[in-house]
Amino acid sequence: MAVLKAVIGVVEDDPALQELLVEELEAEGYQVDAWGSLEDFKSSNVSPDLIVSDIRLPGESGLTLLEDLKRHDNPPALLLITAFGTVDQAVDALKKGADDFLTKPLDIEHLLLSVDRILEHRSLQRELKRYKQQQKGPGGLVGQSPAMRKLYDQIEHIAPTGGSVLITGESGTGKELVAKALHELSDRSDKPFQAVNCAGIPADLMESEFFGHAAGAFTGAQNKRQGLLKQADGGTLLLDEIGEMPMALQAKLLRVLQEGTIRAVGSDKEEQVDVRILAATHQDLERLVEEGKFRQDLFYRLETFSLRVPPLRERGEDIERLANFFLQQQQKSSDKTVRGISAEALDLLYRYPFPGNVRELQNAIERAFAFSSDETLSVDDFPQRIVEKSDTSQPAATSAWPTLDEHQSQYIRKVLEHTDGNKSQAAQILGVTRRTLYRWLDNAAE
């Protein structure tokens, strides 16, 4: 069955053959445009879905067209027509990306079948591409669970604003990927993206690392050095584990956010910088503020926009999506063939709580891939800790089942334990307002 309304371009210098091709293709319901040379085709504004071109043409050949199409992001399909003497060239063209070739004299039925097959294949490729894009969020984030779709929506709204963003979430949830997505969707996407882990820099070197230093500022500082804030000028700087930043440096960072100026260590000159600050942490900054370990004014400045990256245990079927995504990555870099994950192994992954979140799942898939001796990852391929710690317990038939209210109270207590008593974060995890959470707690206490 022909794919109707597809646009086909015919490049053929033989007037009789060109007329025949146009008539036969139009009779099948295609929209057809024709040219006698590649130069005429290139000067037109037509963007066909498929080009039917002779290899031998006056001026540039059909093989030249193949090279030109390869430079397009979304090139049309190419069906080449060749005489017997250029069959070797046509075969070589197939290897380089042409979709098919036909020899003269043309068999019209064969031509129509080939056109139909090529267009159907292209349609399937587009559907597959759309499907793969739907499985990913902004910045290449993988997942389509409700929790991640909510995060994607927040990223798309916050990215263009240009304001500072506080990204919270447990270790291994993908906070840096969220930061990269914010950068890529902003108007700074063509400027630098810098990321630094505040926990990985010695306290006595942190100011120099961020603000740079003048020559001779301290022993060993023989040359002037730009800091991260200047290196990221015009772009985005991610401060990972912001809770580890010393209080004195927090005050200097606040000045950058307020004034847009920096002063290198050992310099008496201030410099302007235009940098978007993204901060990430797995700690409860509100509690650190209460304990006097984090500046309140900096916290409020960063929290203007706040994003919480959900842990893997809250992401449902994303576990399977991520597992298959990481498996595909392993497959691309290896000669081994592992086509999937067994149902038993997937069940194992769903039962495991993944305290290390997405990073732990990625490591588990890498390990399972390395140990797999079959085309499917099995339970035995995964780390023993996952096999042993997966929650396989089920209430015995004779045990007393809790009421719905009791089950809700138990779950709320577990969430509060997880958030160290932070009711705002607990309410966010539970998907309710703080007022509703307080009402539930009051009812449980009665």
Side-chain angles (χ1 to χ4, degrees):
M1 178 180 176
V3 180
L4 299 180
K5 298 183 180 179
V7 178
I8 297 179
V10 173
V11 186
E12 174 56 62
D13 63 321
D14 181 337
L17 181 55
Q18 182 189 106
E19 183 180 358
L20 175 64
L21 290 171
V22 171
E23 287 180 356
E24 293 292 342
L25 291 168
E26 285 182 339
E28 292 295 307
Y30 297 113
Q31 178 183 331
V32 186
D33 293 282
W35 303 271
S37 69
L38 283 181
E39 289 78 7
D40 291 342
F41 164 66
K42 290 178 181 180
S43 64
S44 71
N45 293 319
V46 179
S47 299
D49 300 293
L50 166 66
I51 299 173
V52 179
S53 174
D54 204 329
I55 284 185
R56 288 187 174 177
L57 292 165
E60 296 181 347
S61 72
L63 298 176
T64 305
L65 175 61
L66 175 61
E67 294 301 317
D68 290 342
L69 295 179
K70 286 166 68 175
R71 290 192 284 268
H72 290 218
D73 291 332
N74 187 27
L78 178 62
L79 171 59
L80 293 171
I81 300 172
T82 179
F84 180 76
T86 55
V87 167
D88 288 344
Q89 285 182 303
V91 172
D92 187 53
L94 284 180
K95 294 177 181 177
K96 292 180 179 178
D99 292 87
D100 199 359
F101 75 91
L102 300 175
T103 57
K104 297 178 181 178
L106 280 181
D107 181 329
I108 294 301
E109 289 299 319
H110 192 179
L111 168 75
L112 297 177
L113 284 172
S114 180
V115 167
D116 184 61
R117 180 190 59 77
I118 292 171
L119 289 172
E120 184 177 358
H121 179 65
R122 283 298 175 105
S123 177
L124 290 172
Q125 283 183 320
R126 285 193 293 268
E127 286 296 320
L128 180 60
K129 184 177 180 180
R130 276 196 293 268
Y131 173 76
K132 287 181 176 179
Q133 289 173 339
Q134 289 169 359
Q135 297 305 300
K136 289 188 177 183
L141 286 161
V142 177
Q144 287 296 314
S145 63
M148 290 303 287
R149 286 201 299 270
K150 178 182 177 182
L151 178 63
Y152 299 159
D153 183 65
Q154 292 172 330
I155 290 172
E156 288 169 359
H157 279 85
I158 291 174
T161 65
S164 302
V165 184
L166 178 62
I167 306 169
T168 63
E170 297 174 13
S171 295
T173 50
K175 296 186 289 296
E176 184 169 342
L177 287 177
V178 171
K180 288 179 179 177
L182 288 167
H183 175 73
E184 290 174 10
L185 294 180
S186 74
D187 57 5
R188 299 171 180 264
S189 59
D190 60 338
K191 298 296 191 298
F193 174 86
Q194 296 278 355
V196 58
N197 189 330
C198 297
I201 305 175
D204 57 341
L205 296 178
M206 198 171 282
E207 184 176 358
S208 173
E209 189 71 21
F210 283 108
F211 293 89
H213 61 253
F218 49 83
T219 303
Q222 296 179 354
N223 300 307
K224 178 182 177 181
R225 181 180 181 276
Q226 281 191 343
L228 288 166
L229 286 160
K230 192 63 178 177
Q231 292 173 31
D233 195 14
T236 305
L237 176 62
L238 168 65
L239 305 178
D240 200 5
E241 296 307 337
I242 185 82
E244 301 295 332
M245 180 176 283
M247 293 287 282
L249 198 58
Q250 291 178 30
K252 293 179 180 291
L253 176 61
L254 183 63
R255 180 171 173 77
V256 175
L257 292 171
Q258 291 174 336
E259 307 294 337
T261 60
I262 61 171
R263 180 180 293 175
V265 177
S267 173
D268 57 1
K269 179 183 176 183
E270 288 196 336
E271 295 180 87
Q272 286 288 136
V273 290
D274 172 25
V275 60
R276 186 183 195 179
I277 299 294
L278 308 179
T281 182
H282 75 282
Q283 301 184 70
D284 182 351
L285 289 190
E286 280 187 273
R287 188 176 66 182
L288 293 182
V289 169
E290 292 171 0
E291 295 173 353
K293 297 177 180 178
F294 199 85
R295 291 183 63 103
Q296 187 179 58
D297 46 6
L298 178 58
F299 170 71
Y300 288 137
R301 183 80 187 209
L302 293 172
E303 206 206 14
T304 303
F305 296 108
S306 183
L307 290 173
R308 174 183 174 270
V309 187
L312 188 54
R313 61 184 172 277
E314 293 179 16
R315 294 178 54 180
E317 293 183 358
D318 281 349
I319 290 176
E320 184 172 351
R321 291 188 181 98
L322 285 161
N324 283 314
F325 174 74
F326 294 137
L327 177 58
Q328 289 171 11
Q329 286 187 319
Q330 291 297 307
Q331 187 72 73
K332 288 177 183 177
S333 59
S334 173
D335 293 332
K336 281 179 70 172
T337 301
V338 180
R339 302 187 185 282
I341 307 171
S342 71
E344 295 81 5
L346 280 174
D347 187 48
L348 177 81
L349 296 179
Y350 275 118
R351 293 198 309 268
Y352 182 67
F354 281 104
N357 292 294
V358 178
R359 188 183 298 124
E360 185 181 9
L361 174 60
Q362 181 177 8
N363 294 338
I365 295 297
E366 288 179 7
R367 193 266 188 197
F369 184 88
F371 278 82
S372 176
S373 57
D374 202 348
E375 290 193 353
T376 304
L377 299 185
S378 67
V379 169
D380 293 339
D381 298 323
F382 285 87
Q384 195 60 31
R385 72 176 186 282
I386 292 181
V387 178
E388 292 175 351
K389 291 184 180 179
S390 293
D391 182 13
T392 57
S393 60
Q394 299 252 351
T398 56
S399 64
W401 288 82
T403 65
L404 185 58
D405 287 341
E406 289 171 340
H407 187 75
Q408 177 176 288
S409 297
Q410 292 170 5
Y411 180 60
I412 292 171
R413 283 198 298 273
K414 286 184 178 180
V415 172
L416 284 169
E417 287 173 6
H418 166 67
T419 62
D420 293 324
N422 186 318
K423 294 184 177 63
S424 296
Q425 190 175 347
Q428 194 173 23
I429 292 174
L430 293 165
V432 298
T433 63
R434 280 185 295 178
R435 183 176 298 176
T436 299
L437 176 58
Y438 285 128
R439 188 176 70 251
W440 284 352
L441 293 171
D442 289 340
N443 293 337
E446 293 176 355

